[in-house]
Amino acid sequence: MSTGATGFLQRYEDAVGRLPGDSALRAAAAAAFREAGLPGGTQGRRIEAWKYTSLRPVAEANFQVSPRHEAETLLSGLTLLDAPRVVFVDGVLRGDLSVLPAVSIARFADQPDFGTLTWPDREPMVALNTMLATDGVALNVPAGVDGGIVQLVSLSGGQGDFHPRHGIRLGKGASLTVVEVAAGQGAYLLNTVAEIHVAEGAHLTHIRLQDEATTAFHVSTTYADVQAGGTYDSFTLNLGGRLSRTEVHTQLSGPNATAHLNAAQILAGSQHADFTTVVSHAAPSCSSRQTVKNVLGGRSRGVFQGKIAVARHAQKTDGYQMNQALLLSPDAEVDSKPELEIFADDVKCSHGATVGELDAEQMFYLRSRGIPDAEAKSILVRAFLAEALDAVANETIRGLLETAVEQWWERQKA
Amino acid sequence: MLDIRGLTASIGDKPILKGIDLTVPAGEVHAIMGPNGSGKSTLGYVLSGREDYTVTGGSAMFNDADILAMAPEQRAAAGLFLAFQAPIELPGVNNANFLRTALNAIRRAHGEPELDAVQFLKLARAETKRLAMPDDMLKRNVNVGFSGGEKKRNEVLQMAILRPKLAILDETDSGLDIDALKIVADGVNALRGPDFSALVITHHQRLLDHLVPNRVHVLAHGRIVRTGGPELAKELEKSGYAGLIAEAA
Ligand SMILES: Nc1ncnc2c1ncn2[C@@H]1O[C@H](COP(=O)(O)OP(=O)(O)O)[C@@H](O)[C@H]1O
Ligand SMILES: [Mg+2]
């Protein structure tokens, strides 16, 4: 018996009344989810935003509360930074495994902004999260404070479905680096939503390292609102998951706000990973940058959908988008959909896409110097990724991501 | 060292090498000359294992091993090195890392311990200095933004660091000024010894003045049409290939 949309709705009916937060919002989300269903599921509506990614396998899975698993073992197997960490196990904050940061941190039930940025009526997975979320973290960095680095670690197991809900709020001129690491073991669903406020002149660096079990489903939706002169600088590295969708909505609400939505996806076997972005330029003189690279082996499929929307009064907008794919196998596939929706007349927006294979001459050059085939491939793949990874300014964090790529590569060899 | 017999090779179904017989004894330097399009680069590529060429007949033994049966990286580990006529650019690949990876791959194949970054840099700096190359060549991406001459010198640097037993230099002297030419010649001469041989593809006597080959071969239309001593190169520089090819036909 699959859980399906019906099962999730039943879960909500059973819990309603005991759920924290705004109950009207929950009810509205449930109504929207009932209407939409799971994208690609038999009862789901066809949605343009889910054109290349079907959640049919999610709709067909039977999610059930799983026995406790060894989160400690999973955690000790992870490469992490020597920095505070907030650890979630099966979607629940585990204080005993966490090293709490100095910045103000609260739990989900105390999130004052719950639901203020999201669109459950438009995004079925956000509706699902909004109706079922019970835990998450609220990070609050007061004006002018540097919150340093906070790691948000998610460890999942078994066949459960988890819907954590995070809120990140930076006051004026504040700064923070959030490094999200998701890993696990099993055929679970992790469906995270994060709501982010970046006030005037504040700077949030947001790294996502998705290294889930290759049997798992991972859906992550972020909404970021960036005020004048603020920066939302994000980098996503998708390595794991059977099926993943990373969706980032950024609204540039004040002049001179900046968004970087860079990503790399490295896939093998029959993995499917979808990176979807929407950048709304809602104020003049804002800039957005997106460099997205897919490295696809086996029968894997990489998706990039990037929408840049420029409002009528958002003059002097500078939007850039580049999507490049490297196909390591003839059976791999990339789908790319750039979308420019421009209502202002004085803007600079560009997008480009390339798809290629490993260069035979470069491969031969490396091998003629004694470098074995697999190592030569990995050198060229890392060179291809370098441009995207170079966008991660912090060397230690870049090192963490490079190590993850390295380990991914080792796993493919095994 | 190298013993090629009746070697024929094609690209697609177009025959390029039409029966090459060539023996290079250990310790010798042989020159290969010949008009453009005669198959000189093809010979270098076939010996180093480029996959778009099909060997259709004959054999090539390298120190008693059948190199045609080996993967390109195995040939390199066995001591073969090709200095490319047109070196390949590798954007995003640091030259020092590239060289260290190559050297360590070869050392691994020989069961020798790998060099760490510090040990390697010491070695590489010594070689760049000896070859009068700027140190920053190691820091740049492989051949990216290099001038024609810098690319050729980078090939010589790779050869100096990998220390092959047989080096095939494919027009490494073309487009070089007199100083750079001397650097190339010095690079080869430094490796010279009883266990090192070289096959030097060139159009110019100038390089051979510095390298003094034991034998000179002329390749035309996929065959060696003439072999002689160093004086043959001088003769060709004066009279050109035309008479020789007509004679052979
Ligand atoms: N990739 C290729 N496809 C088809 N023909 C080729 C290719 N590369 C070289 N050739 C042909 O092979 C012949 C020999 O080329 P090459 O070995 O480069 O000559 P050389 O180095 O002596 O100038 C030429 O006729 C050339 O046009
Ligand atoms: Mg040539």
Side-chain angles (χ1 to χ4, degrees):
Chain A
M1 248 288 281
S2 57
T3 307
T6 320
F8 288 127
L9 284 160
Q10 189 58 51
R11 199 89 55 82
Y12 167 71
E13 299 297 342
D14 294 345
V16 79
R18 280 181 286 125
L19 293 168
D22 183 342
S23 58
L25 185 71
R26 300 262 194 189
F33 183 70
R34 183 173 289 115
E35 172 81 16
L38 287 161
T42 42
Q43 299 154 15
R45 271 188 324 205
R46 281 192 61 84
I47 308 176
E48 182 61 21
W50 290 83
K51 185 174 169 186
Y52 300 111
T53 298
S54 163
L55 292 186
R56 174 175 288 243
V58 173
E60 287 172 353
N62 180 17
F63 296 106
Q64 50 197 313
V65 179
S66 43
R68 283 177 61 87
H69 55 89
E70 281 306 310
E72 287 83 354
T73 318
L74 272 176
L75 186 60
S76 62
L78 286 186
T79 308
L80 292 174
L81 301 171
D82 183 15
R85 59 182 195 223
V86 183
V87 178
F88 285 79
V89 175
D90 291 351
V92 177
L93 198 156
R94 281 277 295 270
D96 58 322
L97 299 178
S98 300
V99 178
L100 294 183
V103 296
S104 152
I105 139 163
R107 287 187 81 153
F108 169 78
D110 308 315
Q111 287 190 38
D113 305 322
F114 179 45
T116 53
L117 283 180
T118 57
W119 309 325
D121 54 328
R122 279 198 245 169
E123 311 292 345
M125 295 309 282
V126 173
L128 177 61
N129 176 287
T130 306
M131 87 186 185
L132 290 182
T134 51
D135 208 351
V137 70
L139 290 171
N140 222 327
V141 187
V145 171
D146 176 7
I149 297 179
V150 177
Q151 299 173 98
L152 272 187
V153 181
S154 163
L155 302 170
S156 310
Q159 279 180 273
D161 58 295
F162 315 114
H163 311 271
R165 182 74 166 228
H166 304 307
I168 301 171
R169 175 173 277 276
L170 270 62
K172 284 184 189 173
S175 58
L176 180 70
T177 296
V178 172
V179 180
E180 272 190 77
V181 179
Q185 224 164 36
Y188 53 88
L189 163 68
L190 181 70
N191 176 35
T192 308
V193 173
E195 293 175 83
I196 295 172
H197 293 267
V198 177
E200 282 87 355
H203 190 124
L204 177 66
T205 302
H206 190 179
I207 310 290
R208 295 180 198 84
L209 168 53
Q210 186 271 100
D211 202 3
E212 304 275 22
T214 50
T215 40
F217 306 110
H218 176 103
V219 180
S220 161
T221 314
T222 302
Y223 294 83
D225 178 64
V226 189
Q227 299 289 325
T231 299
Y232 177 62
D233 179 7
S234 86
F235 185 90
T236 302
L237 178 60
N238 282 327
L239 299 173
R242 168 182 169 187
L243 173 56
S244 77
R245 162 99 157 189
T246 310
E247 198 172 312
V248 186
H249 299 260
T250 306
Q251 166 136 322
L252 299 170
S253 304
N256 298 306
T258 303
H260 296 163
L261 309 178
N262 299 313
Q265 309 196 112
I266 311 173
L267 309 174
S270 54
Q271 285 182 286
H272 177 118
D274 175 333
F275 187 67
T276 289
T277 64
V278 179
V279 182
S280 305
H281 283 263
S285 307
C286 293
S287 75
S288 61
R289 292 266 168 285
Q290 302 177 64
T291 300
V292 177
K293 302 228 179 192
N294 276 288
V295 175
L296 306 171
R299 288 173 290 118
S300 67
R301 189 164 173 201
V303 177
F304 172 59
Q305 307 185 98
K307 179 172 174 177
I308 302 177
V310 181
R312 194 177 307 280
H313 59 281
Q315 302 295 2
K316 308 278 180 206
T317 284
D318 181 0
Y320 170 85
Q321 193 181 84
M322 177 51 91
N323 173 32
Q324 295 179 312
L326 182 60
L327 303 180
L328 300 181
S329 122
D331 300 322
E333 188 184 325
V334 64
D335 293 296
S336 156
K337 192 175 97 179
E339 207 181 332
L340 300 181
E341 193 185 273
I342 302 175
F343 293 109
D345 46 27
D346 182 14
V347 302
K348 199 171 87 190
C349 278
S350 64
H351 68 88
T354 64
V355 181
E357 294 163 21
L358 283 176
D359 185 281
E361 287 200 328
Q362 293 181 338
M363 277 297 290
F364 174 63
Y365 193 58
L366 289 161
R367 294 178 71 191
S368 77
R369 294 323 184 222
I371 300 172
D373 186 70
E375 204 174 350
K377 270 187 193 148
S378 104
I379 287 174
L380 293 182
V381 167
R382 275 180 290 164
F384 173 79
L385 290 173
E387 189 197 340
L389 280 165
D390 281 349
V392 179
N394 181 309
E395 267 183 46
T396 318
I397 296 175
R398 196 168 61 239
L400 178 83
L401 300 177
E402 281 165 357
T403 304
V405 172
E406 216 58 47
Q407 287 169 348
W408 182 91
W409 203 265
E410 289 301 315
R411 286 202 299 270
Q412 304 312 306
K413 273 198 252 168
Chain B
M1 174 80 65
L2 179 68
D3 194 11
I4 304 174
R5 301 225 178 136
L7 183 65
T8 57
S10 316
I11 299 179
D13 46 16
K14 181 181 170 194
I16 312 280
L17 301 183
K18 297 168 185 162
I20 303 274
D21 292 288
L22 177 66
T23 301
V24 185
E28 293 198 358
V29 170
H30 287 205
I32 294 190
M33 307 183 81
N36 287 331
S38 59
K40 304 183 297 295
S41 293
T42 301
L43 179 61
Y45 286 141
V46 166
L47 291 176
S48 28
R50 204 168 124 161
E51 271 154 4
D52 35 0
Y53 296 84
T54 318
V55 174
T56 49
S59 65
M61 304 300 284
F62 177 51
N63 287 334
D64 299 325
D66 173 11
I67 48 164
L68 298 180
M70 299 181 194
E73 57 268 33
Q74 292 171 324
R75 301 182 198 204
L80 188 76
F81 179 88
L82 171 67
F84 282 52
Q85 182 175 354
I88 308 296
E89 298 185 5
L90 303 176
V93 181
N94 171 275
N95 208 18
N97 287 345
F98 162 64
L99 278 167
R100 182 157 77 95
T101 308
L103 179 62
N104 279 338
I106 289 176
R107 290 178 67 94
R108 231 175 16 242
H110 293 173
E112 292 163 6
E114 299 189 17
L115 298 188
D116 65 27
V118 178
Q119 292 168 316
F120 172 77
L121 269 184
K122 207 171 149 208
L123 169 84
R125 291 228 176 88
E127 291 297 343
T128 49
K129 197 164 169 218
R130 216 163 47 79
L131 295 168
M133 294 175 193
D135 260 3
D136 89 319
M137 209 148 174
L138 290 168
K139 292 186 195 134
R140 291 158 71 183
N141 283 343
V142 181
N143 295 327
V144 179
F146 284 31
S147 70
E150 284 174 329
K151 285 183 182 172
K152 297 299 177 86
R153 280 193 272 172
N154 199 31
E155 296 291 286
V156 175
L157 174 64
Q158 293 172 41
M159 178 181 73
I161 286 173
L162 300 180
R163 304 198 141 261
K165 291 197 177 77
L166 174 69
I168 304 169
L169 285 87
D170 192 354
E171 297 198 28
T172 307
D173 56 335
S174 291
L176 292 187
D177 59 35
I178 295 168
D179 292 343
L181 189 83
K182 195 156 175 318
I183 288 173
V184 172
D186 289 349
V188 176
N189 282 331
L191 292 174
R192 260 178 129 153
D195 284 330
F196 174 80
S197 307
L199 207 48
V200 180
I201 299 169
T202 183
H203 285 300
H204 308 289
Q205 173 58 35
R206 279 192 319 180
L207 178 66
L208 301 180
D209 285 341
H210 294 287
L211 279 181
V212 196
N214 300 82
R215 308 293 287 162
V216 176
H217 310 275
V218 179
L219 190 64
H221 301 303
R223 283 195 187 88
I224 289 177
V225 294
R226 178 105 177 255
T227 293
E231 71 290 344
L232 177 57
K234 296 202 176 83
E235 185 189 321
L236 287 168
E237 184 125 285
K238 277 200 221 96
S239 56
Y241 300 118
L244 212 157
I245 293 165
E247 198 179 293

